[in-house]
């Protein structure tokens, strides 16, 4: 659990595992392999012609590695406010995306918002509201451009243990505040607005593929979404994709299973390569 809220649950041979327990189990499996793990690395360039990656890290400096097969498991990111198209106004302090919020709540044990506003209404937005509630914040105001929250009734019932956000269907919103966010101005109709005070804003949900490296490498993508000719297989031989990088909202259990599929396909490709 994190802040009293289950991160996720996995059923494994009749056992119920919380997220942290499941990750620890995967780490033990990984320790038994011959995998070379380099942490704190950032891939800054991908060359599909030479099958090489350019990396920078404190331990390696800037270096280049080559591989016969590459799997992109770069995950997804939340849309920026400009990509969403319905969020306007200032860009003051105390404007967070969900990952930034979780780093403060879990990593620093800090409560950055006591009267939050959440822009978005999918599963991630409700998870953020639940985390804030468990940490001690007041119930958040939640805004989205739909008549009802994107999260379904059953999921809202589940999260009701921790949070019951005050819902506002909006044509659009604007963030107010000079140094720090102080209010969300909601557009409810033509020329009709309402002001909702807050001490910070969380821009949450609406995941898209974290595909910058894939697009820069010249691998096929429709817009920013990678194209898989066959599941987990990109347009060039030896290049694969797994998990949230495929695009759209994916749960942790789905990403785990998809990663196993991608690994199996990469292994089969390497076996064919060694026989040729």
């Amino acid at each position: 659990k994190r802040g009293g809220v289950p991160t996720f649950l996995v059923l494994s041979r009749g056992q119920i595992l919380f997220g942290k327990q499941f990750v620890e189990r995967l780490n033990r499996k990984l320790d038994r392999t011959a995998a070379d793990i380099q942490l704190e690395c950032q891939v800054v360039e991908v060359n599909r012609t030479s099958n090489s990656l350019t990396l920078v890290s404190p331990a390696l400096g800037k270096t280049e590695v080559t591989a016969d097969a590459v799997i992109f498991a770069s995950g997804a990111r939340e849309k920026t406010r400009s990509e969403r198209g319905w969020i306007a106004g200032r860009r003051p302090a105390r404007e967070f995306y969900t990952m930034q919020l979780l780093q403060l709540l879990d990593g620093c044990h800090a409560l950055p918002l006591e009267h939050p506003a959440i822009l978005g209404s999918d599963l991630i937005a409700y998870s953020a509201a639940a985390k804030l509630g468990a940490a001690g914040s007041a119930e958040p105001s939640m805004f989205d451009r739909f008549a009802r929250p994107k999260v379904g009734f059953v999921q809202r019932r589940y999260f009701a243990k921790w949070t019951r956000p005050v819902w506002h269907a909006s044509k659009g919103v604007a963030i107010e505040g000079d140094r720090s966010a102080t209010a969300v101005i909601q557009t409810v109709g033509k020329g009709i607005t309402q002001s909702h005070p807050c001490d910070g804003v969380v821009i949450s949900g609406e995941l898209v593929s974290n595909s910058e490296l894939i697009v820069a490498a010249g691998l096929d993508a429709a817009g920013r979404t990678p194209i898989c000719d066959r599941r987990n297989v990109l347009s060039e031989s030896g290049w694969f994709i797994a998990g949230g990088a495929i695009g759209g909202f994916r749960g942790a259990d789905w990403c785990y299973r998809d990663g196993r599929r991608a690994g199996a396909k990469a292994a089969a490709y390497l076996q064919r390569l060694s026989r040729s």
Side-chain angles (χ1 to χ4, degrees):
K1 294 186 179 182
R2 295 291 184 273
V5 183
T7 308
F8 60 87
L9 296 172
V10 179
L11 291 174
S12 176
R13 297 181 181 178
Q15 286 183 293
I16 296 178
L17 301 178
F18 287 99
K20 185 177 180 181
Q21 295 172 306
F22 190 57
V23 170
E24 288 171 351
R25 176 177 288 193
L26 293 181
N27 280 335
R28 289 195 295 269
K29 287 184 177 181
L30 188 59
D31 288 341
R32 295 194 292 268
T33 71
D36 179 19
I37 303 168
Q38 295 291 341
L39 302 179
E40 296 184 339
C41 281
Q42 181 177 359
V43 181
V44 295
E45 187 178 351
V46 175
N47 189 319
R48 64 186 174 92
T49 304
S50 60
N51 277 36
S52 64
L53 310 174
T54 303
L55 316 174
V56 292
S57 78
L60 302 175
K62 184 176 181 180
T63 187
E64 187 175 285
V65 298
T66 59
D68 292 319
V70 176
I71 301 175
F72 286 97
S74 49
R77 62 171 177 82
E78 291 175 313
K79 283 185 178 180
T80 64
R81 55 187 285 175
S82 59
E83 286 176 318
R84 296 175 194 234
W86 57 279
I87 304 172
R90 299 177 181 271
R91 295 177 182 269
R94 293 181 180 268
E95 177 184 304
F96 304 98
Y97 288 91
T98 308
M99 185 56 69
Q100 295 170 314
L101 176 70
L102 295 180
Q103 287 170 347
L104 289 169
L105 290 172
D106 293 340
C108 303
H109 305 289
L111 178 60
L113 308 173
E114 293 185 356
H115 300 280
I118 295 180
L119 309 185
S121 62
D122 62 11
L123 191 62
I124 298 172
Y126 269 80
S127 297
K131 295 284 288 184
L132 284 165
S137 80
E139 286 290 15
S141 297
M142 181 173 284
F143 303 84
D144 211 335
R145 62 195 186 281
F146 306 107
R148 286 183 290 274
K150 290 178 72 175
V151 159
F153 174 76
V154 173
Q155 293 162 315
R156 293 201 301 274
R157 291 277 295 181
Y158 169 77
F159 278 109
K161 179 179 178 180
W162 298 281
T163 185
R164 295 175 183 267
V166 181
W167 169 251
H168 302 282
S170 308
K171 303 291 184 182
V173 298
I175 299 171
E176 286 289 299
D178 292 324
R179 295 188 177 181
S180 181
T182 57
V184 170
I185 308 300
Q186 170 198 13
T187 301
V188 294
K190 189 173 182 180
I192 304 173
T193 61
Q194 294 178 355
S195 179
H196 301 272
C198 65
D199 63 358
V201 174
V202 183
I203 300 174
S204 198
E206 293 198 43
L207 296 181
V208 293
S209 173
N210 198 10
S211 59
E212 285 81 359
L213 287 171
I214 298 171
V215 174
L219 296 163
D220 285 351
R224 301 197 64 86
T225 303
I227 297 173
C228 303
D229 295 334
R230 299 175 300 282
R231 192 164 187 175
N232 301 110
V233 181
L234 291 171
S235 57
E236 297 283 334
S237 297
W239 297 84
F240 303 87
I241 191 168
I246 292 174
F249 179 81
R250 312 286 180 177
D253 55 341
W254 187 94
C255 290
Y256 167 71
R257 293 193 298 270
D258 195 62
R260 289 177 63 94
R261 282 190 291 267
K265 290 186 178 183
Y269 170 79
L270 292 173
Q271 289 176 346
R272 291 195 301 271
L273 200 65
S274 65
R275 291 196 295 266
S276 60

